[in-house]
């Protein structure tokens, strides 16, 4: 019995030293705390018809503090002025930063924007 005890302890130690399964980190995406009104600039609405819409997608890099570090065009509207205006507006947004296991992290999100010409835009 005394001779097997060291072997049993060695076996138990070897089994205990096997790598434990890695758990997936808990990641919570960023949420909007302060949004902005993405209004259609009057210059762009003059070139469009009532009911017509234009869409674009922005890529926003959000830092640990929840502010937008960088904004870029992921899908253009086809109108450079409108794209630039959307970037300027998006940089004013404030987010509750993403977290990983409860710690703030940097993140990237896609923000789709749809501009639609409504009757009020036709009178500008």
């Amino acid at each position: 019995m005394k001779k097997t005890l060291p072997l049993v302890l060695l076996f138990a130690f070897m089994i205990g030293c096997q790598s434990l399964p890695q758990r997936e980190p808990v990641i919570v995406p960023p949420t909007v705390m302060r949004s902005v009104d993405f209004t259609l600039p009057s210059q762009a609405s003059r070139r469009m018809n009532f009911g017509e819409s234009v869409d674009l997608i922005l890529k926003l890099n959000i830092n640990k503090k929840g502010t937008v570090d960088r904004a870029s065009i992921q899908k253009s509207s086809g109108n450079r002025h409108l794209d630039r205006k959307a970037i300027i507006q998006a940089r004013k947004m404030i987010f509750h930063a993403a977290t990983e296991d409860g710690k703030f992290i940097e993140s990237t999100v896609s923000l789709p924007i749809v501009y639609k010409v409504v009757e009020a835009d036709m009178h500008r």
Side-chain angles (χ1 to χ4, degrees):
M1 178 96 150
K2 291 183 180 182
K3 290 183 179 182
T4 59
L5 185 60
L7 290 175
V8 170
L9 290 174
L10 179 62
F11 181 72
F13 177 74
M14 290 173 56
I15 289 176
C17 288
Q18 290 180 359
S19 63
L20 298 174
Q22 296 292 322
R23 70 169 186 81
E24 293 293 318
V26 177
I27 297 176
V28 178
T31 55
V32 177
M33 290 179 62
R34 185 179 77 193
S35 187
V36 296
D37 186 19
F38 288 96
T39 56
L40 185 63
S42 59
Q43 291 175 341
S45 66
R46 284 187 223 131
R47 297 184 193 116
M48 298 171 64
N49 298 318
F50 175 72
E52 189 176 354
S53 64
V54 174
D55 63 318
L56 62 110
I57 301 174
L58 297 179
K59 178 181 172 183
L60 305 179
N61 292 40
I62 302 164
N63 64 26
K64 294 178 183 182
K65 294 179 181 178
T67 58
V68 178
D69 274 346
R70 272 192 324 263
S72 59
I73 300 296
Q74 190 170 344
K75 177 186 174 252
S76 175
S77 66
N79 180 323
R80 287 185 353 179
H81 176 73
L82 193 57
D83 291 351
R84 280 193 306 254
K85 183 76 172 174
I87 286 174
I88 291 167
Q89 289 175 312
R91 286 186 178 147
K92 297 175 185 174
M93 294 179 74
I94 303 291
F95 291 82
H96 183 273
T99 59
E100 181 176 337
D101 292 334
K103 296 180 181 176
F104 292 116
I105 59 170
E106 296 178 357
S107 60
T108 302
V109 296
S110 292
L111 178 66
I113 301 169
V114 178
Y115 290 107
K116 187 170 185 173
V117 178
V118 293
E119 191 170 343
D121 293 328
M122 300 303 293
H123 300 293
R124 287 195 219 175

